Amino acid sequence: MSRSSLDLGIIGNSVIAALIDRAGRIVWHCAPRLDGDPVFCDLLSPKIEGEGVFAIELRGLQQTAQHYIENTAVLVTTLTDANGASIRITDFCPRFKQYDRTYRPAMLIRRIEPISGTPVVRVRVRPLFDYGMTRPSLTLGSNHIRFTAPGAALRLTTDAPIAFIDAESEFALTHPMTLVLGPDESFTASLTHMAREFQERTIEYWIEWVRYLSVPFEWQEAVIRAAITLKLCAYEETGAILAALTTSIPEAADTPRTWDYRFCWMRDAYFVVQALNRLGATRTMEDFLRYITTTVALNPAVELQPVYGLDPAASLEEVTLPGLAGYRGMGPVRRGNAAFAQRQNDTYGSIVLAVAQMFFDKRLPRQGDIALFQQLEGLGETAARLALTEDAGLWEFRGRARVHTHSAAMCWAACSRLARIAGLLGLDSRVAYWRDHADRIRKAILDHAWNAELNSFVVSFDGSDLDASLLLLQEIGFVAADDPRFLGTVDAIGAQLKRGSHLMRYVAADDFGMPHNAFSICTFWYVDALAATGRRDEARAMFEGLLASRNHLGLLSEDIDTGTGELWGNFPQTYSMVGLIVCAMRLSKSWEEAFWRGS
């Protein structure tokens, strides 16, 4: 196989997920949930060579093709050998309605079918435990293999010949076969029948879910794929939303910028909720509110962390993992994220903005009420107190603290939205209270974050640096799109941060030196700002360039090498998929313009 790349597909069901390469190899899968032990960890080069992969290999492989079944999270990989013999691998995680609940077991299903000729295959199932440190013991049954280690167990159940799988021997694939990997539990029903039924019902579920999305007229396939991907990055058991499914994919080649993103950042969750709400998929917001309620209840008298685990009580202590060498050997590989200990003041605004729609959207079965407003007021009080204090900022600087403009503006947004909610609820005294806080913070930002010499807002109070987060000032309503100060900021950022058709998040040195690659969400922010300020042709051209930067299945990671176009950073990055949705909806022709009244 060639070196690792991010030409990967994702399957999942909002409890587990797996990343699958072009040849149908599962190279990343965490069990028993999205932030668990990566039992398939080939993506990060396990030091126990040849392990950490679930491969279905075709002898004489000559050609591969891969696609999703339309509007689903069911992935199909076709492998063809030099003689034209071919097989089809269909991968999915079951997800469908059953007994008035969503059935989403921690189960991977792989169906293998011969398509033409007499294909010869070999199945290699080589999980590792304890982050690449432990090779499991195997126990063979008549139709299963158990993989066990202290405190861990997986079971592969199959109608393929167990002897061939155990020996990793080649055999002729003459009829369809099924492999199911999951908890160490036995099956009491027909495996073939169950897999076929689960596949049909999972396809039906996703088609029905997509059917109710309010997609833009243009770029529908891209938006649908992005929406499904965001859904797969939400852990429905608790309502947490992951920043990405991986850990430690470097932001750029040969840099130590390797972080674990399998956690819930309040900021990232806000952006995901915002994007899905625009599409009409509001259930994620409702689940996130449940997560926030638990998080605040567990921490009633302390400032909130910027990031929590899928279980908000879990420790995020950052450690380096010796069993994994890293993506293309570029370590270190980390578990946990030290950002949990930072102060990032935009956290409070992110939560309030994510939940505010609960008060205004009449479609929702649970409307925002006085009790929810009072809960948010507690967050608003902290935002008002911390708005003009130093923090690490949204880029999570580890070696410095400043009064960051974005953080202050998000605290303003928290107070501003609380005033609007109070007005809706008829609480006049609370309207005045929150307006006073919002006005105070706004005045400080305008006095200290505007640099007349640069004709731009700046990163931190009384500073002179720029970063891409300033593009969000219009998005959150702090300034209007036609405000000369925002127009000046967009021009200054374009001049300083734009690299070809991509945007850097900033160009000043940070704790790890100079940044090398463009940050995809920042380019989307720039596209959105161009569109908002009337530069739609330029925005559309940049947006089309971003669409062309996706991998072969329409997915994006965190970063892009502006020279080669290669994807870097954790994958798939929810930030990036959010940006795609927001920009598509901003730039698309309306349905009325393009279809109802179009020619």
Side-chain angles (χ1 to χ4, degrees):
M1 292 298 298
S2 61
R3 65 179 184 171
S4 296
S5 81
L6 296 181
D7 284 337
L8 304 170
I10 169 182
I11 61 170
N13 60 7
S14 297
V15 171
I16 60 167
L19 300 182
I20 302 173
D21 72 9
R22 284 181 178 268
R25 303 185 320 142
I26 296 179
V27 296
W28 186 257
H29 167 57
C30 297
R33 64 185 200 181
L34 296 172
D35 63 345
D37 188 1
V39 293
F40 297 122
C41 51
D42 182 73
L43 186 64
L44 294 185
S45 310
K47 292 182 179 179
I48 302 178
E49 196 169 342
E51 304 293 316
V53 68
F54 188 167
I56 299 164
E57 300 172 348
L58 177 66
R59 187 171 73 182
L61 177 65
Q62 189 77 24
Q63 184 179 343
T64 70
Q66 203 167 47
H67 71 278
Y68 282 104
I69 293 178
E70 189 174 13
N71 293 352
T72 77
V74 179
L75 184 65
V76 178
T77 306
T78 304
L79 308 180
T80 305
D81 70 15
N83 298 315
S86 62
I87 66 171
R88 179 189 301 116
I89 307 168
T90 303
D91 287 303
F92 66 100
C93 297
R95 180 181 173 89
F96 49 83
K97 297 292 184 182
Q98 181 168 270
Y99 307 127
D100 296 323
R101 302 189 299 272
T102 302
Y103 180 65
R104 45 177 191 265
M107 177 191 296
L108 300 175
I109 298 182
R110 316 201 73 185
R111 302 186 66 202
I112 320 167
E113 304 166 84
I115 300 174
S116 61
T118 306
V120 175
V121 301
R122 177 173 64 173
V123 178
R124 291 195 301 127
V125 188
R126 294 187 174 186
L128 289 170
F129 294 127
D130 193 21
Y131 284 81
M133 293 290 288
T134 303
R135 183 187 281 116
S137 299
L138 272 63
T139 304
L140 273 61
S142 57
N143 295 103
H144 71 266
I145 302 176
R146 297 175 68 241
F147 303 90
T148 59
L154 286 173
R155 181 187 291 239
L156 176 75
T157 304
T158 182
D159 52 13
I162 288 291
F164 288 150
I165 296 177
D166 177 47
E168 296 187 350
S169 300
E170 293 185 328
F171 62 94
L173 184 68
T174 57
H175 60 277
M177 294 180 180
T178 301
L179 301 104
V180 178
L181 186 84
D184 188 15
E185 300 170 354
S186 60
F187 282 86
T188 58
S190 162
L191 191 68
T192 302
H193 175 77
M194 181 212 71
R196 186 183 301 115
E197 178 189 356
F198 279 15
Q199 179 178 325
E200 291 172 356
R201 296 184 69 179
T202 298
I203 290 171
E204 289 172 0
Y205 169 86
W206 285 112
I207 289 174
E208 188 73 2
W209 187 80
V210 167
R211 179 182 177 188
Y212 290 99
L213 296 179
S214 300
V215 297
F217 181 81
E218 297 180 88
W219 308 296
Q220 291 183 44
E221 291 182 3
V223 169
I224 289 169
R225 182 53 47 202
I228 291 173
T229 302
L230 294 182
K231 183 72 171 174
L232 297 182
C233 292
Y235 182 64
E236 286 186 351
E237 292 287 327
T238 64
I241 299 169
L242 280 73
L245 295 177
T246 59
T247 178
S248 305
I249 309 296
E251 293 180 11
D254 300 310
T255 73
R257 300 173 191 265
T258 54
W259 316 114
D260 193 347
Y261 276 12
R262 299 171 301 156
F263 308 119
C264 183
W265 272 261
M266 301 302 170
R267 175 189 317 114
D268 298 52
Y270 154 61
F271 283 114
V272 171
V273 166
Q274 176 199 43
L276 290 178
N277 282 355
R278 292 187 183 196
L279 294 173
T282 57
R283 182 61 182 268
T284 301
M285 173 180 61
E286 297 173 73
D287 289 342
F288 182 58
L289 174 59
R290 178 164 48 88
Y291 179 81
I292 290 300
T293 300
T294 299
T295 303
V296 173
L298 292 174
N299 304 275
V302 298
E303 295 177 14
L304 290 179
Q305 298 169 192
V307 55
Y308 287 89
L310 304 193
D311 170 359
S315 170
L316 297 192
E317 201 68 40
E318 187 175 294
V319 297
T320 299
L321 303 168
L324 300 170
Y327 182 74
R328 300 184 189 169
M330 300 174 190
V333 174
R334 309 175 204 261
R335 183 182 69 219
N337 197 303
F340 82 91
Q342 293 182 344
R343 172 183 281 178
Q344 297 176 26
N345 295 335
D346 66 317
T347 296
Y348 305 94
S350 297
I351 295 173
V352 173
L353 290 181
V355 177
Q357 188 166 331
M358 297 287 293
F359 294 88
F360 297 92
D361 193 332
K362 298 301 182 183
R363 296 170 300 172
L364 302 179
R366 178 190 170 183
Q367 296 285 303
D369 55 17
I370 295 289
L372 179 56
F373 174 67
Q374 290 173 341
Q375 184 181 349
L376 295 180
E377 279 198 301
L379 301 176
E381 293 288 358
T382 308
R385 176 169 57 84
L386 297 179
L388 306 180
T389 64
E390 293 184 341
D391 73 345
L394 85 163
W395 306 126
E396 302 186 337
F397 296 113
R398 296 192 173 198
R400 70 168 189 245
R402 296 177 180 173
V403 181
H404 287 96
T405 303
H406 172 76
S407 296
M410 289 297 285
C411 290
W412 166 85
C415 297
S416 175
R417 295 307 188 277
L418 286 169
R420 288 182 60 189
I421 295 168
L424 181 72
L425 297 175
L427 304 173
D428 294 344
S429 64
R430 304 312 292 167
V431 172
Y433 179 83
W434 289 114
R435 243 181 224 153
D436 286 346
H437 274 309
D439 291 345
R440 171 181 60 85
I441 298 168
R442 177 179 173 80
K443 182 179 186 306
I445 295 172
L446 294 178
D447 288 346
H448 294 280
W450 173 254
N451 187 310
E453 184 176 339
L454 296 175
N455 192 37
S456 176
F457 286 103
V458 288
V459 171
S460 56
F461 279 22
D462 303 315
S464 58
D465 292 335
L466 305 181
D467 79 357
S469 71
L470 300 168
L471 296 167
L472 295 173
L473 292 174
Q474 177 270 147
E475 177 68 23
I476 64 173
F478 184 81
V479 290
D482 60 356
D483 188 312
R485 291 168 296 193
F486 185 67
L487 295 172
T489 301
V490 174
D491 287 341
I493 285 174
Q496 188 173 123
L497 304 185
K498 190 178 174 188
R499 299 290 183 272
S501 59
H502 300 282
L503 204 76
M504 307 294 287
R505 54 182 167 179
Y506 49 80
V507 292
D510 58 21
D511 313 296
F512 300 93
M514 295 295 293
H516 297 288
N517 286 342
F519 211 66
S520 293
I521 185 59
C522 297
T523 310
F524 284 118
W525 290 344
Y526 186 67
V527 168
D528 193 51
L530 291 177
T533 55
R535 297 159 65 178
R536 290 183 64 85
D537 290 344
E538 188 179 350
R540 286 179 69 95
M542 285 193 73
F543 182 63
E544 292 286 1
L546 280 165
L547 292 180
S549 299
R550 297 172 300 155
N551 75 7
H552 65 296
L553 291 169
L555 306 179
L556 283 166
S557 64
E558 181 180 49
D559 307 272
I560 295 177
D561 185 315
T562 59
T564 66
E566 186 173 9
L567 300 179
W568 287 88
N570 281 309
F571 179 91
Q573 180 77 5
T574 55
Y575 250 175
S576 302
M577 307 313 289
V578 163
L580 187 158
I581 292 170
V582 172
C583 287
M585 298 191 78
R586 167 86 74 175
L587 291 169
S588 174
K589 297 175 183 176
S590 70
W591 279 85
E592 180 176 359
E593 173 191 6
F595 182 68
W596 301 113
R597 298 184 185 279
S599 57

